[in-house]
Amino acid sequence: METAAVREQTAPYRVLICDDQPDVLEALRLLLKGQGWQTVSADSPEELMAKVRTGSFDLILVDLNYTRDTTSGAEGIDLLGNLEAEGNSTPVMVMTAWSSFELAVEAMRRGACDFIQKPWDNDRLVAAIRKQAESERRRKSELEIAANVQQKLFPRELRPFRTLDYAGQCVAAREVGGDYYDFLEITDQTLGIVLADVSGKGIPAALLMANLQACFRNQQPGALLRPSGVLEGVNRHFYESTAAERFATLFFGAYDDRTRRLRYVNCAQVAPILLRASGEIERLEATALMLGAFRQWTCREQQIDLRPGDTLVICSDGVTEAGIDRGSDFGEPRLLALLREHRDIPAEELTARVVDTVTAFSGPSRTDDITVVALRVR
């Protein structure tokens, strides 16, 4: 049976080309059509950005010079910066009739994978596109495998508890992400709850996320009854095994099914929101610094008694800061309104409702992972 990965590998290359000269666009279209490849055209940086947000491509081919300035390449360099800011991972080749060593270096520094001078040599251009597009196909195939592996790291079967309905969901902004949540069976009547956000994006963040998960999964169950002791060890391991700029914000709690008591440590994570059955709002503020940033690190445990009808929602900043790049973030007020509106639905439905609402609010330009854990006390 033909798989999606096989179909992807054999489908024609799809190339997005951008130039403000119609004759150049047509010449490129005909050249690539002769190779059996598909092209999508844009005649301005603004149109290219719009098409990047709504389409998938094997390669982006852009001119560096547009109407503002026909020789400096400033608009093209700005375009590369905008693509990088939006998290574009598709390889970008640049073209210009006004080439210089300095311009080529700056374009490569901004993320371009190759530099073509106009007028181009057809054979060289086709060979360069084929090389980069084949590499991108392999990368996407590897990322698809990595995404499948990462999804299997999240909890799949949840053990029932007498007083607690709970669920979690994580949606990566890219193929793989750095957010992490987990439910750990500490004892027959104690549940461990973890939600973390690793700094960075893509594969490096995903590897650190897996490393962090292993730190918790390899703990003796009894040790997890003391959150502060566990986290001191996790911080030490994370600090010693990662680069200086890598760290993680994290919430870890241990819920007692007999007493409905939650013992927790909040390591600079977005403060979880507790919506009491009475309608009162409480926040579980930070009790420690982020993990992995400092060798000398301490934390403070807190505990809170939950009551039937209470709802606790733990989330990453991909929820509250969604849309911030457009100048209007989702924010806590919208999250609170959503929780009040759906306070009576099961935890699994609540997490899905939050994720769907935040994803719709963010639109196609979303650049951060969205992770939500919901606890409904009964």
Side-chain angles (χ1 to χ4, degrees):
M1 179 181 294
E2 185 181 42
T3 65
V6 171
R7 288 194 298 272
E8 175 71 17
Q9 291 296 321
T10 57
Y13 294 137
R14 195 162 186 261
V15 182
L16 174 59
I17 54 178
C18 184
D19 198 292
D20 60 349
Q21 300 181 48
D23 56 336
V24 171
L25 288 176
E26 181 64 10
L28 289 170
R29 186 189 70 82
L30 291 174
L31 175 63
L32 301 188
K33 181 181 178 181
Q35 300 295 317
W37 302 341
Q38 299 175 355
T39 59
V40 175
S41 299
D43 61 9
S44 69
E46 295 76 20
E47 186 179 5
L48 179 136
M49 292 301 299
K51 291 185 175 180
V52 165
R53 294 186 187 108
T54 58
S56 177
F57 303 94
D58 296 298
L59 183 87
I60 301 173
L61 179 61
V62 300
D63 186 36
L64 286 181
N65 299 305
Y66 295 87
T67 55
R68 189 180 74 192
D69 187 331
T70 58
T71 61
S72 73
E75 283 187 312
I77 295 297
D78 289 346
L79 176 57
L80 291 173
N82 292 336
L83 287 167
E84 182 182 31
E86 293 219 3
N88 172 68
S89 59
T90 302
V92 182
M93 291 175 57
V94 297
M95 303 179 69
T96 181
W98 305 90
S99 64
S100 69
F101 177 77
E102 291 78 10
L103 184 58
V105 168
E106 180 63 14
M108 303 295 275
R109 190 181 72 82
R110 293 295 187 96
C113 64
D114 205 346
F115 190 94
I116 305 294
Q117 185 174 2
K118 295 178 180 177
W120 62 82
D121 176 89
N122 283 349
D123 291 339
R124 181 185 183 281
L125 178 58
V126 167
I129 291 176
R130 179 178 285 110
K131 174 185 176 182
Q132 297 298 336
E134 286 177 354
S135 177
E136 175 66 0
R137 287 281 178 91
R138 288 193 299 270
R139 186 190 71 85
K140 285 182 177 179
S141 177
E142 291 167 355
L143 282 175
E144 182 180 348
I145 295 171
N148 289 333
V149 170
Q150 187 175 57
Q151 283 302 311
K152 288 181 169 60
L153 296 178
F154 293 117
R156 302 175 71 83
E157 295 184 5
L158 305 185
R159 176 183 168 187
F161 281 81
R162 180 180 61 86
T163 67
L164 190 67
D165 172 29
Y166 63 102
Q169 187 173 343
C170 177
V171 178
R174 302 182 183 177
E175 292 87 347
V176 292
D179 277 12
Y180 156 59
Y181 79 92
D182 209 349
F183 300 119
L184 308 169
E185 296 182 16
I186 299 176
T187 71
D188 289 345
Q189 298 191 24
T190 309
L191 176 71
I193 301 126
V194 187
L195 187 146
D197 185 353
V198 176
S199 62
K201 307 291 181 187
I203 291 291
L207 291 172
L208 291 178
M209 172 271 206
N211 188 336
L212 189 60
Q213 184 199 51
C215 286
F216 282 95
R217 291 280 180 94
N218 290 334
Q219 297 287 335
Q220 293 295 323
L224 296 171
L225 289 170
R226 291 186 57 254
S228 58
V230 168
L231 290 174
E232 287 175 5
V234 170
N235 177 76
R236 184 167 53 253
H237 171 79
F238 213 59
Y239 178 85
E240 293 173 351
S241 62
T242 60
E245 68 275 11
R246 298 294 186 183
F247 60 88
T249 59
L250 178 142
F251 178 91
F252 175 57
Y255 176 81
D256 191 324
D257 195 36
R258 298 162 298 183
T259 63
R260 298 187 178 90
R261 178 169 294 169
L262 179 72
R263 298 172 61 190
Y264 69 90
V265 175
N266 182 349
C267 307
Q269 183 60 40
V270 174
I273 295 174
L274 174 59
L275 175 59
R276 293 287 191 181
S278 63
E280 180 185 1
I281 294 293
E282 299 179 31
R283 295 170 182 82
L284 280 54
E285 302 288 355
T287 63
L289 297 174
M290 69 282 286
L291 292 168
F294 307 99
R295 181 186 297 276
Q296 299 299 322
W297 183 91
T298 59
C299 66
R300 185 178 75 258
E301 277 186 31
Q302 295 280 64
Q303 66 180 32
I304 190 167
D305 291 324
L306 304 179
R307 298 186 287 271
D310 289 351
T311 299
L312 178 65
V313 171
I314 311 162
C315 65
S316 63
D317 60 8
V319 173
T320 53
E321 295 180 5
I324 196 170
D325 55 324
R326 305 196 314 267
S328 176
D329 59 6
F330 189 77
E332 187 182 274
R334 285 189 177 90
L335 179 58
L336 281 172
L338 190 63
L339 300 184
R340 292 186 187 279
E341 181 182 357
H342 302 291
R343 62 181 306 157
D344 296 325
I345 64 177
E348 185 174 5
E349 293 182 27
L350 180 58
T351 57
R353 191 67 57 93
V354 173
V355 168
D356 291 346
T357 304
V358 173
T359 301
F361 181 87
S362 304
S365 61
R366 180 169 61 87
T367 58
D368 204 358
D369 306 331
I370 297 173
T371 306
V372 181
V373 167
L375 311 179
R376 295 287 316 280
V377 184
R378 55 194 176 207

